[in-house]
């Protein structure tokens, strides 16, 4: 389907939008995307800190005692609800904040919410770095979580609304680019501080450092044209468009489409955005993907492996420093694969990335399971290690690292960026904040469940954990290939035409003539 803008008088082709990659739009998107740097740092830092002996001695001495027990089942050494709460508390707080962020975003705009998120990040980093007991540790992580909820809701929307349609995929991936960079920086920080008794404080405290960049940078940003129009500031919306599209650009067509979309949304303002999203038939596909995309992202298994990769590598036979270096290598591979996806997402589309990434993940997850099975059989046959208490032979440990990295590359080029790109572009303006809030809150809610249960799952399923996640990847990929429309290069204001042209979703968003309709 040709990309067009649904306007009062018909369709305006996407080519009518004079949006080029100006310096202003690049700088604007760069600052907004840096919110991912803070989130990525918090994702990557917890797993490495959780296996540092000075940190465990201070807050979780029972786990340290298990590590010293040579007869202990190595799959279950880190199975501690208190320890996982250190990681997962951030995400349950983020869930609460993201639900509130949808309404706050409509009041304050995308820029104001990013400022709030940055301030909360700074406060959370200071508290976790200076924690003297578990309570301070958890409260600090929750402050970071509130920052995650606000920033993750606002930044992808900001990027999607400011980017020219032709380059929206690549620019929106910038959020995941910085997220992956944050994970890599966190793992490098852990590797460097692990040899210092107070190194864990430095690792946790530095979470507040990237917040300074987004807080300072946000003061120099303009809000999005859609946000200005929703608050009745059409003149400022036009000025914002000229700033990011260039003063020689003809922005009238884009502004007209935005105003028309907002006016159509105001026609049903008597019903709240969340209620419309959940109960109105025409928003059924949007609600489905607001729920399904986070589910696909989380059940790939790569997010919890990102959180706990140093612990998993310890179980696989790596020493403490080697486990941290393994986490650094994995983060580096994912970062490199993300650069590849940034280059191709607007050329080949979203679904191509899903297919390529899923193929790598499914194959490597099953081979990871195979490597661990063979290694365990080798150990049991040679040294009678029934529960992983004997270290995995080095050759198998290296093979596991390689396969995990290839699997990480598949994730880095597919689900990692798409979880931020697609939700930011599929929702119509009247439910865009609510839809993004639902998507982010479901993501963070599932992250909480995953982080709280992964170590227990590893303890019980052992190497079969990899096969469990591989099965989910296969099922989710099939769902996306059948039901997700391609959104490459489509202006946000014409996304309704994409749903109306889909073989399945058109029965919800349009009547027999393909025109959108509002049905409860």
């Amino acid at each position: 389907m040709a990309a067009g803008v649904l306007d009062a008088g018909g369709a305006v082709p996407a080519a009518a939008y004079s949006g080029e990659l100006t310096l202003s739009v690049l700088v604007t998107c760069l600052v907004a995307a840096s919110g991912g740097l803070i989130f990525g740092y918090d994702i990557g830092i917890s797993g490495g800190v959780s296996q540092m002996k000075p940190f465990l001695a201070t807050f979780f001495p029972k786990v340290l005692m298990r590590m010293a027990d040579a007869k202990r089942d190595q799959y279950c050494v880190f199975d501690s609800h208190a320890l996982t709460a250190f990681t997962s508390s951030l995400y349950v707080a983020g869930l609460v904040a993201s639900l509130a962020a949808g309404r706050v975003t409509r009041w304050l705009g995308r820029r104001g919410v990013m400022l709030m998120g940055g301030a909360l990040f700074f406060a959370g980093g200071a508290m976790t770095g200076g924690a003297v007991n578990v309570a301070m540790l958890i409260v600090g992580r929750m402050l970071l979580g509130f920052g995650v909820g606000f920033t993750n809701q606002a930044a992808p929307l900001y990027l999607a609304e400011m980017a020219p349609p032709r380059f929206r995929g690549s620019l929106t991936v910038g959020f995941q680019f910085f997220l992956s960079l944050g994970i890599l920086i966190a793992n490098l920080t852990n590797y460097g501080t692990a040899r210092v008794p107070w190194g864990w404080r430095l690792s946790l405290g530095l979470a507040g450092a990237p917040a300074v960049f987004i807080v300072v940078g946000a003061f120099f940003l303009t809000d999005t044209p859609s946000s200005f129009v929703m608050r009745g500031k059409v003149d400022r919306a036009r000025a914002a468009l000229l700033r990011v599209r260039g003063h020689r650009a003809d922005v009238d067509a884009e502004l007209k489409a935005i105003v028309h979309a907002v006016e159509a949304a105001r026609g049903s303002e008597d019903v709240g955005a969340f209620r419309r999203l959940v109960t109105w038939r025409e928003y059924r596909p949007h609600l489905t993907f607001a729920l399904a995309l986070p589910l696909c992202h989380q059940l790939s298994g790569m997010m919890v492996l990102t959180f706990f990769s140093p612990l998993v590598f310890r179980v696989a036979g790596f020493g403490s420093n080697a486990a941290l270096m393994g986490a650094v290598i994995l983060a580096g591979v994912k970062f490199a694969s993300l650069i590849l996806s940034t280059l191709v997402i607007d050329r080949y589309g979203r679904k191509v990335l899903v297919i390529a990434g899923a193929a790598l993940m499914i194959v490597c997850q099953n081979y990871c399971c195979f490597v661990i099975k063979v290694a365990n059989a080798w150990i049991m046959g040679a040294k009678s290690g029934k529960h992983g208490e004997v270290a995995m032979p080095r050759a198998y440990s290296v093979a596991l690292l390689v396969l995990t990295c290839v699997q990480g590359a598949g994730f880095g080029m597919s689900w990692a960026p798409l979880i931020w790109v697609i939700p930011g572009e599929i929702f119509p303006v009247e439910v865009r904040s609510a839809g993004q809030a639902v998507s982010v809150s479901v993501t963070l809610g599932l992250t909480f469940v995953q982080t709280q249960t992964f170590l227990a799952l590893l303890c019980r399923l052992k190497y079969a954990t990899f096969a469990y996640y591989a099965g989910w990847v296969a099922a989710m990929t099939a769902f996306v290939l059948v039901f997700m429309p391609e959104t490459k290069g489509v202006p946000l204001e014409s996304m309704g035409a994409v749903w109306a042209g889909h073989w399945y979703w058109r029965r919800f968003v349009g009547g027999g003539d393909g025109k959108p309709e509002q049905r409860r």
Side-chain angles (χ1 to χ4, degrees), residues 481-500:
L481 292 180
V482 174
F483 291 105
M484 190 180 82
E486 180 58 68
T487 57
K488 178 189 71 171
V490 181
L492 296 181
E493 292 72 33
S494 72
M495 206 61 71
V498 175
W499 295 108

Side-chain angles (χ1 to χ4, degrees), residues 133-475:
N133 53 49
V134 175
M136 284 186 68
L137 202 64
I138 299 300
V139 170
R141 291 285 291 177
M142 292 182 74
L143 286 174
L144 291 169
F146 290 133
V148 164
F150 283 115
T151 306
N152 286 11
Q153 200 275 347
L157 285 184
Y158 189 97
L159 290 165
E161 291 179 350
M162 294 298 271
R166 285 196 300 141
F167 306 103
R168 189 178 59 242
S170 297
L171 291 176
T172 309
V173 167
F175 187 83
Q176 179 65 32
F177 177 88
F178 276 100
L179 192 152
S180 297
L181 180 61
I183 294 173
L184 178 59
I185 292 172
N187 282 290
L188 286 168
T189 301
N190 281 336
Y191 186 75
T193 60
R195 298 167 179 81
V196 183
W198 46 266
W200 62 270
R201 290 194 181 276
L202 183 60
S203 291
L204 294 177
L206 284 175
V212 177
F213 181 76
I214 191 172
V215 170
V216 173
F219 278 109
F220 298 95
L221 298 182
T222 180
D223 215 332
T224 69
S226 294
S227 182
F228 278 133
V229 171
M230 291 175 71
R231 287 178 284 160
K233 302 175 180 179
V234 178
D235 290 340
R236 295 189 66 181
R238 192 175 193 281
L241 275 175
L242 285 172
R243 178 175 175 178
V244 295
R245 302 291 185 256
H247 288 283
R248 291 181 296 178
D250 180 7
V251 299
D252 291 335
E254 187 171 358
L255 180 61
K256 185 178 180 181
I258 293 172
V259 171
H260 177 67
V262 171
E263 287 176 350
R266 284 176 178 161
S268 55
E269 275 189 343
D270 57 315
V271 181
F274 277 106
R275 182 180 173 187
R276 276 180 282 168
L277 182 64
V278 173
T279 61
W280 285 22
R281 179 179 172 86
E282 67 174 290
Y283 298 121
R284 195 69 50 79
H286 310 87
L287 179 62
T288 298
F289 280 90
L291 300 174
L293 289 173
L295 188 68
C296 296
H297 183 259
Q298 289 297 315
L299 289 179
S300 67
M302 280 307 302
M303 284 304 294
V304 285
L305 185 57
T306 300
F307 301 138
F308 298 116
S309 55
L311 308 186
V312 172
F313 289 140
R314 283 291 295 270
V315 171
F318 290 78
S320 178
N321 290 334
L324 290 172
M325 179 50 68
V328 170
I329 294 171
L330 177 60
V333 169
K334 290 171 64 177
F335 182 69
S337 66
L338 180 64
I339 295 175
L340 174 62
S341 72
T342 303
L343 298 175
V344 302
I345 189 170
D346 283 321
R347 178 180 294 271
Y348 298 108
R350 284 57 164 156
K351 298 178 80 168
V352 170
L353 293 182
V354 171
I355 297 172
L360 286 175
M361 292 169 68
I362 292 170
V363 171
C364 290
Q365 278 178 326
N366 281 304
Y367 272 102
C368 281
C369 183
F370 173 77
V371 167
I372 297 177
K373 285 181 179 180
V374 172
N376 277 3
W378 176 282
I379 294 167
M380 286 188 287
K383 299 184 179 179
S384 300
K386 296 180 179 179
H387 301 288
E389 67 269 23
V390 180
M392 185 183 293
R394 182 175 180 81
Y396 289 106
S397 296
V398 173
L400 177 63
L401 174 61
V402 171
L403 290 169
T404 302
C405 286
V406 177
Q407 178 190 347
F411 179 77
M413 65 184 293
S414 57
W415 285 114
L418 293 180
I419 189 60
W420 305 113
V421 172
I422 296 174
E425 61 187 11
I426 64 172
F427 299 111
V429 66
E430 65 269 19
V431 295
R432 189 169 295 155
S433 292
Q436 181 71 6
V438 169
S439 180
V440 171
S441 62
V442 172
T443 298
L444 294 173
L446 289 171
T447 304
F448 167 73
V449 173
Q450 289 272 85
T451 53
Q452 192 64 33
T453 60
F454 174 73
L455 294 178
L457 186 71
L458 183 65
C459 178
R460 286 154 182 79
L461 295 184
K462 298 179 173 50
Y463 49 78
T465 304
F466 290 92
Y468 166 79
Y469 285 119
W472 276 112
V473 171

